[in-house]
Amino acid sequence: MPSTNPPPVVLAAYYWSPYLTLAVLCGERVIETVCRRVTRNNRAQAATERCFRVLVNDYAPIRIVVPPIPALDDAARRTGLPTVMMSLPAAKACLMGSRLTTNRDLYRFLVARFPELRCLVTVLVGSGDVAATEPWRTAQLLPIALGLAVQTLATGPTDETCAHS
């Protein structure tokens, strides 16, 4: 008999200067996204930790996924939750099969596979590309990609590139 338990909740973060973006995912469903403008100063670490703490308290994720950025990794580890570090190229390899995929291709893949993400970005009518003129919007797709990729790994990768990233 198949399990009716919902998939675990994962919190993923990405920093694309000057935007800190976070996404809460339950399986392939995006529950919440947060985008904050965070400049690199003494208050940035405290603001980052507050963002993590609020989402951890609200959603009780089982793990946090961050790119290889020491400040994000430190903030995530301070929550006490298991932290997974994953680069964007590794996430692209898991989701699309190639580390050499461009961000533009990643954005197009995400909004095609998950049409509900179209509300986060501006999709150009003629080409189907995500508008690059709004970095605060496109930055929201990056933690989603990390979170999806980590969950793909957790359910058992079928591609060798995912298993060794």
Side-chain angles (χ1 to χ4, degrees):
M1 175 179 254
S3 173
T4 58
N5 293 334
V9 175
V10 172
L11 172 60
Y14 201 87
Y15 182 74
W16 186 13
S17 184
Y19 304 106
L20 171 64
T21 57
L22 300 107
V24 179
L25 296 97
C26 181
E28 292 188 341
R29 188 169 62 95
V30 178
I31 299 172
E32 183 172 347
T33 61
V34 175
C35 182
R36 298 274 188 264
R37 189 176 178 95
V38 178
T39 56
R40 293 183 185 235
N41 61 29
N42 294 340
R43 294 181 302 218
Q45 189 69 22
T48 301
E49 288 179 23
R50 269 193 310 279
C51 287
F52 277 113
R53 207 171 20 254
V54 166
L55 293 173
V56 165
N57 289 337
D58 287 351
Y59 295 104
I62 63 163
R63 75 178 55 91
I64 299 176
V65 185
V66 295
I69 298 173
L72 280 182
D73 186 47
D74 289 345
R77 290 185 189 282
R78 283 193 184 98
T79 66
L81 291 173
T83 302
V84 177
M85 196 177 287
M86 176 175 272
S87 68
L88 193 56
K92 290 175 187 178
C94 283
L95 296 173
M96 301 177 65
S98 172
R99 287 177 165 269
L100 302 178
T101 302
T102 66
N103 283 2
R104 178 179 167 190
D105 292 335
L106 175 65
Y107 303 150
R108 184 183 279 174
F109 167 81
L110 289 171
V111 297
R113 182 163 174 209
F114 306 101
E116 63 275 12
L117 297 180
R118 295 171 76 88
C119 70
L120 297 175
V121 295
T122 301
V123 178
L124 303 175
V125 177
S127 66
D129 285 340
V130 172
T133 56
E134 302 170 325
W136 64 94
R137 291 180 181 264
T138 55
Q140 293 180 86
L141 295 177
L142 299 174
I144 293 169
L146 294 180
L148 290 170
V150 162
Q151 292 180 92
T152 298
L153 287 174
T155 59
T158 57
D159 179 9
E160 284 299 308
T161 60
C162 285
H164 300 294
S165 294

